[in-house]
Amino acid sequence: MLHDRLLVSADGDAGERKSGGGIVIPATASVGKRLAWAEVVAIGQHVRQVKIGDRVLFDPEDRAEVELQSRTYLLLRERDLHAVAAQRVDTGSTGLYL
């Protein structure tokens, strides 16, 4: 990876979802702008806030897809992230950086 780029593996697919109450929401349902979570699998040398294994929140519209060894990954810039969920925080913290 070069510069401030991240290679991430997206969580799940863009198919049907379930609400908190168990109602199935079809993939064709119209919703507002929705952000997505993904796990970081590789980082460039100028990435400062994210480590491999972190979960990141990003806008699915601002992404580039790449296929490596028959798996699809997303290529993002660090500045395009909205949040980072990390396990490496102090006890009592939420682990979510906004």
Side-chain angles (χ1 to χ4, degrees):
M1 301 302 303
L2 297 174
H3 310 295
D4 67 339
R5 301 293 198 271
L6 304 165
L7 189 68
V8 299
S9 175
D11 293 348
D13 57 19
E16 293 182 342
R17 301 183 314 271
K18 278 193 176 182
S19 70
I23 297 171
V24 175
I25 303 168
T28 58
S30 177
V31 294
K33 190 170 183 175
R34 186 174 191 86
L35 299 177
W37 287 99
E39 182 178 350
V40 178
V41 295
I43 59 173
Q45 69 251 20
H46 296 296
V47 173
R48 298 180 296 169
Q49 302 295 320
V50 180
K51 304 290 182 208
I52 294 174
D54 288 351
R55 293 187 70 227
V56 294
L57 187 65
F58 67 98
D59 183 357
E61 301 294 323
D62 301 330
R63 67 179 184 172
E65 291 186 8
V66 63
E67 187 172 325
L68 299 171
Q69 299 177 350
S70 70
R71 289 200 56 195
T72 302
Y73 296 96
L74 305 174
L75 186 62
L76 305 170
R77 288 179 177 242
E78 185 179 23
R79 68 180 180 208
D80 294 334
L81 301 180
H82 294 274
V84 177
Q87 296 294 327
R88 63 182 183 282
V89 297
D90 298 330
T91 304
S93 298
T94 62
L96 187 62
Y97 300 98
L98 298 177

